[in-house]
Amino acid sequence: MSDSRVPGDGSCLGRRPLRRSWCELLGRWARASGSFPLSTRQFFPGPETPSHASVRTPGTAPRPWGNGRVKRQKFNPEREQKLKEAALHLLRSHQNLDDLLLEVEGPQCKKLCLSKYIDCDSSEAYSSPSTSFIGSALQAQASRLGVPVGILSARMAASSIGEICETTGLSSPTMLLNSEQRKKLSSLIETAQYLLANSMFCRLSFCQELWKVQKPLALEAVWHLHIQNIVSLQELLERHSDMQALVVWLCRNLGLLCEQMEAPSPSADVARAVLADFVQMFVLRGFQENLDLKRNAEQEKLPQVAAAVLQSLLNASLEALATGEQEVSAAPGPAQCWLTVFSGHMYCSVIATETLKRYFSHTLMQILTYNPVLKGGYLAEVSDAVQMQREWTFVRTSPLLTSLYRRLFSVLSPEELLGCMQEVLDMHEVNWRHVLSCMSTLVVCLPDVQQLVRDWVARLVAQAFESFDPESLVPAFLIIRQAALEGPTMFPPYADWFKATFGSARGPHSRSKKALVFLFTFLSDLVPFEPPQYLKVHVLHPPLVPERLRPLLTDYIALARTRMADLKVSIEDMGLYEDLSSAGSATEPHSQALQDVEKALEVFTHTGRIPVAVMEASIFRRAYYLSHFLPALLTPRVVSILLCECVAICEESALFGTPSFFFSSQLPKIPDPREAFIESLKRADKIPLLLYSDYRQACSTAEEKKQETPVEEDERSCASGALGALEAALGGLRAAMVDPVRHDVVSAHIATISETLRTALDPSEDSIKVPKIQLHVPTSELGKPEQAVGLLLTCFCQSLVAASSFVPLQRQGPWAALFVKLLCGRALLPAVLTRLCQLLLHQGPGLNASHLVGLAALAVHLSELGPVLPHVDMGLPSSAQGFSVAAFLDGLLPCRTGKSLLFCMRFCTAAISYALCKSPSGFCAAPHDRFCLGLVKKFQFVVLRLFSEAREPPCLDVTGDLLWRPLCLPSTDWTRAALRLWRHRTFRELLKEKEFQLTYRDWLQLELGIQPEVDILSDIERRDFYQWAIHQCYLPEPASTGGCDGDLEVACSILTEAVIDFFQSSQGYDHLDNSDLVLGGRTVNQDILSRLQEMVAELELGRSGAARGHFLFQIFCRRLQALGNMSTVAAHLQRQRELLLHKRILLGLPPNMLFASLQGQPAAVDCDEFLHFVNSELRNFSHGGALTHDITAHFFRGLLSTCLRGQDPPLLVNLTLATCQTECPIILTSALLWWPCLEPVLTCQWKRHSQSPLPQALQQLAEARDLARSFLSLDTTLSIPGPTWVFAASLHFAIQQALREQGRRELKRLDFEQEEVVLFLFFFSMMGLLSTYLAPSEAIDPLKTLDVCAEILECLERRKVPWLALFQLTETGAGLGRVLLRVASDQHIRLLPLAFFSIVYVFTFSLLPHLDPNALVREATFLHVAVDMYLKLIRLFVAGETSTLPTLATQSQQYQNQDDPLGLITKARLFLLHSIPQCPERCFLNMTELLATGKDLDPEVSAALQKRQQALPNLDPHLYGEPQLF
């Protein structure tokens, strides 16, 4: 027999009890019998008998055996044997078996061992002499009575158990035994085990006799018989003759047992064990699949008994719950005790999973069908549910009932739960309170069930419309409403579901008229019971109805409005942003109007426009708008001092860290969003003037009477009450963190917090859907969301630390994800992100360990939810679409200073450790967009940068579990933790994923953000780190892992692009200056640029003499092509910014990088790529026909440096500049402009390597410059060196310089110059005029430039030089037109029409006294040029390119008739219409193409041209042809 101990009691049923001495036992039986047999007396002579062994009969006095003390007998073995045989004969002849079985033995006699004399025929020798003796006695008695010994022993044992269970001194029966009863039962069980072992005990008879016992049986006694293998519970119950009586007995006794379990008792563990074994047996027998087809009738009876008992006790518990909810929140004790048996772990080792699922499914069905309300008809049954379901949410349901649901959910899968609910709804009448409360618990405790519920409801709706059965539609509406009542964190609002289901042509109601009638009939039947918020949904978002069936919708809306009128709810008083699916009570119109004002201000702040809802309300809901909304908006704003309660609460936590503020609602000096919103409404005529004037007057009066007033007690108590309830709910969650494994309990607390938040905040906050979250700079006035966020973040950090101290992360369940999902509501998320921005960006280094690990875990969960969250608007121009949440969090960890690097290391260590510890296997398998990759990359960057030991490959990866709990301690060694994580095998495996690898480009982007002056590394350490990173780490690495494949050119290219990308990003928006790459007012990390210079120099040395294209220009070309055209001003500015960066990169490298190599025989300088770059890009950002000085000087220094390495440097310079004359003339014009600065530099450089004078090409530039200056000084005429256009350009720059220094200059000597010089000078002067229009801030007055143009034009006219061809230049061929077009930018060429009509205006209106106003009209090419310029001017105006040009009318009275661009177009149009009749016939040649293109731009001018052309005879083009000038 095993040593089985009973918990809670000192007795041991399996241990052999102490025996009394054999002599005492013999004496007792002698006294009971009254005399000794003769055969025995001879062994006890009187004088020798001890006095204490005297025997008496009942009622007589004791009689002594002798007259004195006898002498001690000598030991005689033969005599002793005879004495034992005599004693056995005596007991066999005079025995009372009932007394014998109840005998409690004393200490065992060690010397006497009678087992070999008692029951000598037994197959095994039992060690206890008393049990052997009892067996012998029972055999003798059975032989005398003529009955089997097994039946006799069973009868005696049953009678003895009845006596043991008899309660004495107790007023009510008990199901547990006391210590004395357990001792007796232990002895009896030991004897029974001996009898069973020797085939002297009949179980069947014992069961039958036990049920015949008149005394009540204790369940503990029956349980002991079961666990000691005397008779099993199943066998015992099967032998009961009356099944109904057995059920009653079991229910009554189990109920008593539950009551005793609730009372404090040392036997509580025994009671729980008894109850557990009974329930296990009931479940096993009642719900096990019937595989044995040969079971008898008694075996078939037990499953019915088990099911009946379980159902009866469940019903009793549910009834107690229903009764208890009317009085207190908790049910009575026995019911609470019985509900604890629904625990999966109680059955796991005993019952198969399928059997347990059948039991739990059956239990769920019994709960859902318990006490159904049957009133006749489906609508009557659900009327209470429609009206009362808001009271059956998870928070308002009895905690015991929700606990029971959660226990059932722990075994059944979501699919099985919904299948069970579907079966119940299809086959049974249900208790809707239980069905809907179960649905609420399901949605709250199993967040993943949301989609399953939506799919189930969709199937119910489809089924209802297929059969037109309202009984299928009722559950769909009730279930979706109940789920939505748990809030948007748990389930989408009902309004969204109704609009998605019935608001489109794809809805099930759109298939036929019958379906539509069915829907409106159903909705109409619900109207008498509907809460008003659902009626509002149906009225404001009605089903889509065809026009011919509109009466159905109209009738329903009328009925719904009538019902709302009966409920005294007006849809006209409904708020603009009211949550139509809210479970709360109806909000008063004034309170709702205040909420609407706040929401409208939020939308107005986001968009800068009056919200659409406000505009619609001002038209269609004017009564509410005028009566409620405007009075709430125009509340006089006076000074009040309000010290927020939450600030004081949160100041106790270092996490909140915000000082107390005095809040003022006084009108601000600078209009705030509220004031701007009011002014916008006033400008839109949406505020009556009288109401607005009253508001202003009230504000003025309040300002005059303002005084310090204490905070109203009701305001303080209101704020304290709402936040106090939230703080209490958060405290409950923190307390539950001692056992975070209990997911159902934790989920219940989170649901309570959600409900409290919806009460404290406005539930309609989540009804506003904005595509982006705009973060605001926090003000002194903290709203409710900001106050709540401080408490929520503190609670999250504390709860995480508390849970981690009890349970590892991987076993904590989804509580953290649920909590973070709660923070992601649209009402809280902006405040959460704003607070994160404050904490991480500004207070990060000061956070302690608990706050840091909590915020790191929060960042991980926010990143996982990133794809479903709106983007964040940081107010940066580079992020028009906003940042994702992951990118936003990445931006909160800048790596710029030593402190920020250390904090980034701590935060990333905590975040990555949390993610890996929580889900080691699922971390890498999860989608990479669900985790902030930036944290992993920044961790690699910081570790490699700070710890030189991390740069070496680890000798041995760290294995085992990652340590999370030590990170929560204040004494955390973050360096050790970071290095342990770095070397851990799991993290090393993670880095093998391509998405998580820190590439060369990633490293550069992070390194460029470092501020050298506050870097944690010294200059030497930083240089050494760069050398290691570039040459040892990334340069030899393959490209597949983010390296350069050993290609130095690739390394240079990536570095170059990284620098440009960095300055184009939001980090570098203020990084550009006029002369250098500047980062926030400081020089950019020069060490990075030095490395680039070193690598480029090394690359050039390794490739000298090889013909190739330079990688820099390839990068520039690719990036500029990616930007596309410059169709908008923004695109133009972005391209200009990009080009400025390209130029700065070039200026940071040696100047000879602009030249590829010396090519050909004789050698020639190859600079084609740079010239192409100038012509295509730099030229378009030049002004006045010249590049900037820096790039010009860089080019010429590089040219001399390259040519001086050749055999004939002067020849190389001359050939290169000759190429520039035709291919890139703006190089020469730039040199002319900056020659005073260039000449000393180039001369010094040339003389360092050569004693010869400057090359001829450079001397010609110097001579042209000097000649231009002499021309203005009225010196003698000099011969023009080089091309005439070069001298014209030099003369133009000289004139411009003179205008800056001396004002207007007379140009009388122009009459003595060559015609081409004057013509080219006129072109350059027009470019100068346009430059003054484009850059009016320059020192040259545009009017003076126009005077110069007019003077040059007068000279051309006097000399009869045709100048109109300057406005028809093309790049075809190799003429001078190509040269001139490559000197000016494309923008200048596009603006030529503006210059043309400005000059025509001067010419036509005789502003020059020596010109004939009509001479221009008589020119053969005038009309063609004028019409072409006019059409181009219109296109410029349509494209918006003339909108930024200043007007001449505002700059001088001399040209007071000159108008703005639109006025200029009007003047030009009138001029054309006036000139067309005056033009000679030859002017109308080749006008067909212009007429075709200008027909749509100006029909009137086109019609005038066609009319004039048709009136002329056929013209011969050869007759009026003229030679081409260019």
Side-chain angles (χ1 to χ4, degrees), residues 1303-1409:
R1304 182 174 178 178
R1305 295 294 303 270
E1306 297 292 339
L1307 302 177
K1308 297 180 179 179
R1309 296 191 60 220
L1310 288 177
D1311 294 334
F1312 304 100
E1313 294 296 335
Q1314 300 178 15
E1315 294 182 354
E1316 287 187 355
V1317 172
V1318 180
L1319 191 62
F1320 292 143
L1321 180 61
F1322 183 53
F1323 177 82
F1324 287 118
S1325 298
M1326 287 192 297
M1327 297 300 103
L1329 175 64
L1330 293 175
S1331 295
T1332 59
Y1333 288 170
L1334 294 171
S1337 60
E1338 292 187 359
I1340 303 177
D1341 188 355
L1343 300 178
K1344 294 180 180 179
T1345 305
L1346 185 60
D1347 291 340
V1348 171
C1349 293
E1351 193 170 351
I1352 297 174
L1353 177 62
E1354 186 177 9
C1355 177
L1356 290 173
E1357 284 295 320
R1358 285 197 304 266
R1359 301 178 64 175
K1360 306 298 182 182
V1361 178
W1363 54 271
L1364 290 175
L1366 292 174
F1367 298 94
Q1368 300 292 307
L1369 297 176
T1370 62
E1371 288 199 17
T1372 58
L1376 291 178
R1378 181 183 180 187
V1379 173
L1380 295 180
L1381 290 178
R1382 291 192 175 188
V1383 170
S1385 68
D1386 291 343
Q1387 187 179 22
H1388 283 75
I1389 300 301
R1390 288 195 303 271
L1391 291 178
L1392 274 177
L1394 187 63
F1396 174 80
F1397 282 104
S1398 298
I1399 293 172
V1400 167
Y1401 180 84
V1402 173
F1403 195 102
T1404 306
F1405 290 92
S1406 299
L1407 298 180
L1408 297 176

Side-chain angles (χ1 to χ4, degrees), residues 1466-1487:
T1466 304
K1467 298 289 186 181
R1469 181 171 174 272
L1470 294 176
F1471 170 73
L1472 278 180
L1473 293 176
H1474 177 73
S1475 301
I1476 289 173
Q1478 303 178 16
C1479 290
E1481 296 178 356
R1482 57 181 179 176
C1483 292
F1484 293 92
L1485 290 172
N1486 303 322
M1487 296 293 295

